[in-house]
């Protein structure tokens, strides 16, 4: 591809008042309106004692920030993308970035909790209006994990040197919900100081995430999945109080190690991976992984009797290729294994339970998605402003996931970046006639049928309740 004209024959001018760069925001924000976002935000988020009217019109400001994030904004200044061309003709109540920044900086811890309530209500409404979590009435997985977000400003409240030497971070905690047929959506987020322990506040956070899952329609079996930093009695007790099951990596503490080494050799079963190699003689899949279980393992045995938990200890072992047991030309004397145990009360078969537990890694996709979008920066020096920004990103993420679920089977599982490219970042020219606005979009847009289906769906009459 090359430019079709000489430099002297090409010019540019920013002078067209009837163009918009993000026509996809029209159906996206219409979906948010149908789910009552602005109304719920106005009811729940109240900042009555703030200076300069920062707390006024909370619903409009929340939707402005989410609209900017959906368009790709990753800082407060980037929210200015909403104020170009014909955007004021298509959307009302657009606020300036300075106004939105003042609004975020007015947040306290209590106001951040109010925004969490909006997030829960909004997720439930999205799940009710769209096929966001297919199969959630039968089986759903709630994953929790933490991440570190590096920050650079010396004035960032809460930023500390923690796990990473010489790097100042904030330490968010997040929970996601997914089903075997869907990509994860975000059930909850919490902003924490950089040196906060991984499991700090985890029991209460787990209880809230499991309750949010019920609000989103997850009325069947709920299974909490987590890494070893969340292997503690408080997290498991929170699961049991909520009527949920758990599947938590344990690590190799002395008690676990003794239990694993006591498993008889004949009880190990080979597990097949997609990358396993078929044996040329027998046709069986050759895999270096094996699985076994201890059906009755009592965790936290040193605690008082009421806090002890009995469940299944399922162990996956793989060859430790970093320590090959080979000397000279002599073959392998004995295999060297690495063990990966997890503690669960999942009633599924051993191999299925092991596969479902490993699928916990999908939460890492959400974390990677966040750092490639609105969490590329935590834009404020105020801790609670960043906490509000984190929650607004979670709401925007869920909104885009619901948008993809309404659009097509492909977009239901696409990344946020793909949803923006295909459905949101579509230029359009507006035309006015008889008090109507028509969006003229690019001819031969590769995803025009998907976009049109989305637009017609959210602008049609609502389905039966």
């Amino acid at each position: 591809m090359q430019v079709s004209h000489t430099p002297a024959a090409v010019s540019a001018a920013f002078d067209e008042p009837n163009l918009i760069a993000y026509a996809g925001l029209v159906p996206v924000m219409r979906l948010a309106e149908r789910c009552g976002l602005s109304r719920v935000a106005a009811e729940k988020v109240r900042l009555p004692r703030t200076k300069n009217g920062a707390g006024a019109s909370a619903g409009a400001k929340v939707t402005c920030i989410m609209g900017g994030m959906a368009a790709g904004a990753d800082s407060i200044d980037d929210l200015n993308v909403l104020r170009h061309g014909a955007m004021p003709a298509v959307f009302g109540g657009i606020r300036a970035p300075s106004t939105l920044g003042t609004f975020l900086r007015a947040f306290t811890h209590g106001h951040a909790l109010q925004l969490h309530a909006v997030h829960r209500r909004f997720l439930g409404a999205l799940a009710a209006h769209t096929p966001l979590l297919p199969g959630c009435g039968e089986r759903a997985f709630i994953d929790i994990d933490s991440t570190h977000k590096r920050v650079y400003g010396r004035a960032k409240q809460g930023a500390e040197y923690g796990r990473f030497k010489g790097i100042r971070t904030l330490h968010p905690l997040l929970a996601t919900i997914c089903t075997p047929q869907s990509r994860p959506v975000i059930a909850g987020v919490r902003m924490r100081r950089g040196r906060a322990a991984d499991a700090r506040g985890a029991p209460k956070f787990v209880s809230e995430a499991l309750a949010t899952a019920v609000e989103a329609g997850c009325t069947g079996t709920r299974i909490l999945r987590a890494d070893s930093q969340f292997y503690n009695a408080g997290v498991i007790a929170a699961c049991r109080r909520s009527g949920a099951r758990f599947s938590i990596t344990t690590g190799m503490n002395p008690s676990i190690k003794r239990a694993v080494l006591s498993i008889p050799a004949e009880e190990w079963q080979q597990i097949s991976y997609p990358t396993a190699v078929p044996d040329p003689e027998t046709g069986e899949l050759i895999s270096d992984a094996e699985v076994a279980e201890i059906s009755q393992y009592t965790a936290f045995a040193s605690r008082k009797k009421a806090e002890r938990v009995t469940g299944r200890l399922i162990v996956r072992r793989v060859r430790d290729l970093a320590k090959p047991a080979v000397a000279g030309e002599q073959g392998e004397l004995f295999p060297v294994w690495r063990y990966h145990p997890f503690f669960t009360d999942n009633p599924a078969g051993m191999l299925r339970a092991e596969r479902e537990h490993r699928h916990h890694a999908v939460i890492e996709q959400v974390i990677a998605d966040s750092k490639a979008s609105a969490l590329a920066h935590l834009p404020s020096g105020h801790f609670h402003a960043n906490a509000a920004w984190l929650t607004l990103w979670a709401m925007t993420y869920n909104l885009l996931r619901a948008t993809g679920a309404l659009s097509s089977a492909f977009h239901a599982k696409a990344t946020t970046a793909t949803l923006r490219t295909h459905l949101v970042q579509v230029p359009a020219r507006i035309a006015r006639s008889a008090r109507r606005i028509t969006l003229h979009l690019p001819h031969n847009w590769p995803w025009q049928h998907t976009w049109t289906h989305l637009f017609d769906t959210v602008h049609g009459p609502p389905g039966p309740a």
Side-chain angles (χ1 to χ4, degrees):
M1 186 173 68
Q2 62 183 18
V3 179
S4 60
H5 295 77
T6 63
V10 178
S11 60
F14 289 90
D15 58 359
E16 176 52 66
N18 293 318
L19 292 180
I20 58 175
Y22 305 105
L25 285 179
V26 175
V28 169
M29 299 313 293
R30 177 68 69 182
L31 175 59
E33 289 179 8
R34 293 184 71 159
C35 293
L37 173 61
S38 180
R39 173 181 53 80
V40 174
E43 292 175 358
K44 297 290 185 181
V45 181
R46 298 182 177 276
L47 295 83
R49 299 178 182 178
T50 54
K51 299 179 180 179
N52 303 324
S57 304
K61 293 173 182 177
V62 165
T63 54
C64 275
I65 296 172
M66 290 179 58
M69 288 181 173
D74 61 14
S75 68
I76 294 174
D77 286 343
D78 283 354
L79 298 175
N80 212 25
V81 298
L82 300 178
R83 306 175 73 202
H84 70 271
M87 289 289 282
V90 180
F91 298 99
I94 297 177
R95 272 30 179 203
S98 58
T99 301
L100 300 177
T102 302
F103 171 67
L104 291 174
R105 288 188 292 272
F107 270 68
T108 65
H109 176 66
H111 300 131
L113 294 180
Q114 294 173 0
L115 199 57
H116 294 161
V118 177
H119 170 263
R120 291 192 296 271
R121 287 274 297 276
F122 185 54
L123 177 58
L126 287 174
H129 285 80
T130 68
L132 185 61
L133 292 167
C136 65
E138 299 176 2
R139 196 173 188 85
F141 300 97
I142 295 86
D143 298 302
I144 63 170
D145 203 353
S146 62
T147 184
H148 286 266
K149 183 68 190 77
R150 184 175 186 177
V151 297
Y152 297 90
R154 291 290 175 181
K156 294 272 187 182
Q157 292 179 352
E160 297 169 334
Y161 296 106
R163 175 179 300 175
F164 304 101
K165 185 176 180 180
I167 297 177
R168 300 173 70 250
T169 66
L170 289 169
H171 193 183
L173 182 66
L174 69 158
T176 63
I177 308 170
C178 69
T179 69
Q181 299 85 32
S182 74
R183 279 182 65 94
V185 296
I186 298 174
V189 288
R190 291 293 183 275
M191 183 63 75
R192 302 182 302 175
R193 302 176 68 88
R195 286 190 294 185
D198 287 324
R200 179 179 179 182
K204 181 179 180 181
F205 183 68
V206 165
S207 297
E208 294 176 0
L210 291 171
T212 301
V214 174
E215 291 186 34
C218 301
T219 55
T221 301
R222 293 167 295 150
I223 302 176
L224 178 87
R225 301 184 296 198
D227 289 333
S228 57
Q229 61 264 34
F230 299 100
Y231 175 62
N232 62 63
V235 169
I236 293 178
C239 292
R240 295 200 155 180
R241 285 194 301 270
S242 301
R245 299 186 180 273
F246 58 86
S247 182
I248 305 176
T249 302
T250 65
M252 288 293 286
N253 62 45
S255 174
I256 297 289
K257 187 174 182 179
R258 287 193 299 271
V260 169
L261 296 179
S262 69
I263 299 175
E266 63 273 10
E267 291 191 10
W268 292 97
Q269 297 183 28
Q270 194 171 68
I271 186 169
S272 299
Y273 290 106
T275 56
V277 179
D279 188 300
E281 296 182 0
T282 65
E284 295 182 355
L285 293 177
I286 302 173
S287 175
D288 284 336
E290 298 177 346
V291 181
E293 77 166 296
I294 299 172
S295 58
Q296 294 290 320
Y297 175 79
T298 300
F300 319 116
S302 62
R303 291 175 171 264
K304 57 185 180 182
K305 188 174 181 179
E307 295 180 354
R308 298 172 190 171
V309 182
T310 299
R312 305 167 67 189
L313 185 68
I314 299 178
V315 188
R316 177 172 60 98
R317 68 178 186 178
V318 297
R319 294 289 180 89
D320 191 347
L321 300 180
K323 301 175 182 178
V326 176
E329 296 182 358
Q330 184 177 1
E332 188 176 51
L333 297 176
F334 56 88
V336 180
W337 301 95
R338 287 186 291 114
Y339 297 94
H340 304 277
F342 66 95
F343 186 54
T344 182
D345 62 351
N346 186 346
M350 179 180 68
L351 297 183
R352 177 182 172 183
E354 200 278 334
R355 284 192 296 269
E356 289 180 344
H357 179 76
R358 281 190 288 112
H359 195 60
H360 165 69
V362 296
I363 195 172
E364 298 293 343
Q365 298 175 2
V366 179
I367 293 173
D369 196 318
S370 72
K371 295 180 180 178
S373 55
L375 291 195
H377 305 93
L378 290 169
S380 178
H382 294 252
F383 181 85
H384 297 300
N386 287 328
W389 183 269
L390 177 69
T391 306
L392 290 166
W393 159 75
M395 294 165 62
T396 305
Y397 178 91
N398 292 343
L399 175 60
L400 290 175
R401 289 258 57 85
T403 300
L406 280 181
S407 300
S408 69
F410 169 79
H411 291 94
K413 296 188 176 182
T415 64
T416 298
T418 300
L419 293 175
R420 286 199 189 97
T421 301
H422 292 187
L423 303 177
V424 178
Q425 296 171 343
V426 188
R429 176 178 59 84
I430 70 167
R432 299 175 179 85
S433 176
R435 296 185 180 181
R436 292 176 58 88
I437 290 180
T438 302
L439 299 175
H440 293 276
L441 295 99
H443 180 59
N444 285 337
W445 183 255
W447 305 279
Q448 69 177 63
H449 298 297
T450 301
W451 197 99
T452 303
H453 172 71
L454 170 65
F455 183 88
D456 293 342
T457 300
V458 299
H459 284 81

